[in-house]
Amino acid sequence: MQTQKSLLEAYSQAFICSKKYDSKAIYAKRRESMMKKLDSFCVFAGMPREPGAEEAFAETWTRFVQEPAFLYLTGVNQAGCYLVLDPKNKCCTLFVPKKDPFKEFWFGKRIGYLPNDFDARNLTGIDDIRPSDEFWKFVLDLARDYSKSKAFKPYAYAYFFEKFEGDHNKKMATTLRSKIRQFGMEVRSCASMHFEDRLVLEAERIGEARMAQRITDKAFREILPQVPSMKNERELYLTLNYRMQCGGDGDLAFPTIVAGAANACCLHYVKNDEPLRGGSLVLLDFGVRYGTLHSDISRTIPANGKFNPLQKLLYQIVLDAGKFYQRFVKPGESLKEIGQKPWEFIMEQLESRLVQGFKGTYKLLYDKRPHGVSHFIGEQIHEGDPGSRSLDVVLKPGMLISCEPGLYGEFTATINGKRYNEKIGIRIEDDLLITAKGFVNISKNIPREADEIEKLMLPKNR
């Protein structure tokens, strides 16, 4: 008989768990909290298939990524699964595909239904495990039962967003609506209730977020002195990724951006294949996933290790904009309410410090506001409602947000008698944990001051 430790090791890719705390208990607590909010039964659908499985060709290299809401409640990281929360009977039911030993021979252990096999129950902590092909019969029986109860509402819940027609969650809601209409029931979205819980991180997830920061900090410091000798974006990209992944549990938070010179003016630059030119800046947007949490960091560094005077001036404006914005970050505010403040600050500083101070000029590649200055961080690197990004949500202790002002355009200035011209993008991003009194910058140790970056990049010159 397998021990719980050996069971978790065997299913490490199919069930996401921590080595530091009881993940099964955390998932159970989340389901219980969601159940208490419900006045009817609720359906969560995991991803229906492996990436590329609907195509005639096979994308054998594509990593599976689970629906974050489903993963948050179950820890189950595989396709073809469903979760039903039933407050009337105080029951959670997990539906998984039937055990397929041949598929496991090819791809490794999968959580599956097999009579008298208790792996799925012991892994997830959910007692009621059923095969996925019984899902719709179960839901229809449940809808029939609820429709006869006066204590519950004439609707069911599903996790979906109304405007995302192609999303698997919306397809699930549409199918559910058509099937339970015969019982006089409608379907409502439970997404807002779900995010009430999910946006506030538990102590365990905060610990994972802090660990992600430490891994990211170490990787960044390790690559800085190597950058001046690197030939192209790809070399820097691969080296930074390697350092982060060596320190973490295998995954990046998102595809790393390494954008040299004018490439940094493309916000989601993904080529990462052009030469690094001495005297230019390089924008790095990078982070690592640890457990189920992430770091999300941006730094802008000189390719040769030394900022020129115009680069340093513009860099300082962006850095100061982040510090200015952080004055307003506290519980009770919303990201929408305070989101314009850093952009107004940057425009004022360009006029006073660049135009008036050094007879400079600027031509921005946007109209005052290039992107949001903050987003939530959690199960997704851009956490929250995918339509609104939850910008109206009031900040509470335990929430984690980014702080990422930026500047993108063409700039000139005369400094110490020399004329400088730059087409560059600069972004500096930290991660802020909301506390009862304000926030803690959990990225504070990751170098960001221009002098500190230069010292780390060119240590022999100091």
Side-chain angles (χ1 to χ4, degrees), residues 115-311:
N116 301 317
D117 184 305
F118 301 104
D119 281 2
R121 186 180 71 180
N122 292 335
L123 278 168
T124 65
I126 299 174
D127 290 330
D128 191 9
I129 307 288
R130 305 192 185 204
S132 295
D133 57 13
E134 294 182 7
F135 170 72
W136 282 115
K137 180 181 184 305
F138 178 91
V139 168
L140 289 176
D141 288 344
L142 199 60
R144 184 182 293 106
D145 181 42
Y146 268 77
S147 69
K148 297 176 181 178
S149 174
K150 296 181 179 180
F152 289 87
K153 301 297 183 180
Y155 47 76
Y157 289 102
Y159 178 80
F160 69 100
F161 303 91
E162 197 65 54
K163 74 175 187 177
F164 288 87
E165 294 294 338
D167 179 62
H168 82 281
N169 288 310
K170 179 61 182 299
K171 291 178 181 177
M172 160 60 72
T174 300
T175 303
L176 178 62
R177 182 175 287 121
S178 68
K179 287 181 177 292
I180 67 173
R181 189 174 291 136
Q182 60 183 299
F183 306 115
M185 299 185 76
E186 186 46 64
V187 177
R188 295 186 178 184
S189 173
C190 69
S192 60
M193 290 188 286
H194 173 72
F195 280 117
E196 286 176 4
D197 287 343
R198 194 169 117 191
L199 288 176
V200 179
L201 306 185
E202 305 99 337
E204 293 83 359
R205 284 199 295 164
I206 291 173
E208 290 180 338
R210 290 184 179 276
M211 177 59 74
Q213 298 291 329
R214 290 194 287 272
I215 295 166
T216 307
D217 178 30
K218 185 173 185 293
F220 183 56
R221 289 175 181 272
E222 287 175 345
I223 62 101
L224 281 176
Q226 302 176 47
V227 172
S229 63
M230 290 183 176
K231 294 181 175 58
N232 52 55
E233 294 168 344
R234 180 171 174 78
E235 184 179 357
L236 177 48
Y237 166 84
L238 292 172
T239 304
L240 179 56
N241 286 354
Y242 172 75
R243 294 297 183 186
M244 286 193 292
Q245 289 180 291
C246 280
D249 54 7
D251 288 334
L252 299 175
F254 51 88
T256 298
I257 294 172
V258 177
N263 292 335
C265 293
C266 176
L267 296 184
H268 282 179
Y269 177 76
V270 295
K271 284 170 80 271
N272 297 330
D273 63 359
E274 294 193 11
L276 291 177
R277 297 176 176 85
S280 65
L281 295 184
V282 186
L283 192 155
L284 306 175
D285 198 338
F286 57 107
V288 69
R289 180 182 178 99
Y290 187 83
T292 63
L293 262 288
H294 312 80
S295 57
D296 186 2
I297 303 299
S298 294
R299 294 290 185 265
T300 307
I301 62 176
N304 62 6
K306 184 73 174 177
F307 292 93
N308 72 37
L310 176 57
Q311 291 169 350

Side-chain angles (χ1 to χ4, degrees), residues 6 12 23-24 34 62 79 84 99 132 166 172 181 189 191 202 272 282 297 301 305 314 353 355-356 359 425-426 433:
S6 64
S12 62
S23 299
K24 183 167 66 172
M34 188 68 198
T62 304
V84 177
K99 267 284 187 180
S132 295
M172 160 60 72
R181 189 174 291 136
S189 173
E202 305 99 337
N272 297 330
V282 186
I297 303 299
I301 62 176
L314 298 172
R353 294 162 72 173
V355 177
Q356 298 175 24
K359 299 179 180 180
I426 298 172
L433 177 67

Side-chain angles (χ1 to χ4, degrees), residues 300-338:
T300 307
I301 62 176
N304 62 6
K306 184 73 174 177
F307 292 93
N308 72 37
L310 176 57
Q311 291 169 350
K312 184 171 281 191
L313 170 66
L314 298 172
Y315 184 91
Q316 193 63 46
I317 288 174
V318 176
L319 188 63
D320 291 345
K323 295 174 181 178
F324 176 77
Y325 174 72
Q326 290 170 20
R327 299 180 193 175
F328 305 95
V329 175
K330 60 184 178 181
E333 299 285 357
S334 72
L335 299 182
K336 185 175 183 179
E337 289 173 338
I338 62 177

Side-chain angles (χ1 to χ4, degrees), residues 310 313 354 358-361 411-415 418-420:
L310 176 57
L313 170 66
L354 178 69
F358 294 99
K359 299 179 180 180
T361 66
F411 307 88
T412 68
T414 300
I415 304 176
K418 183 175 180 179
R419 193 68 174 172
Y420 293 90

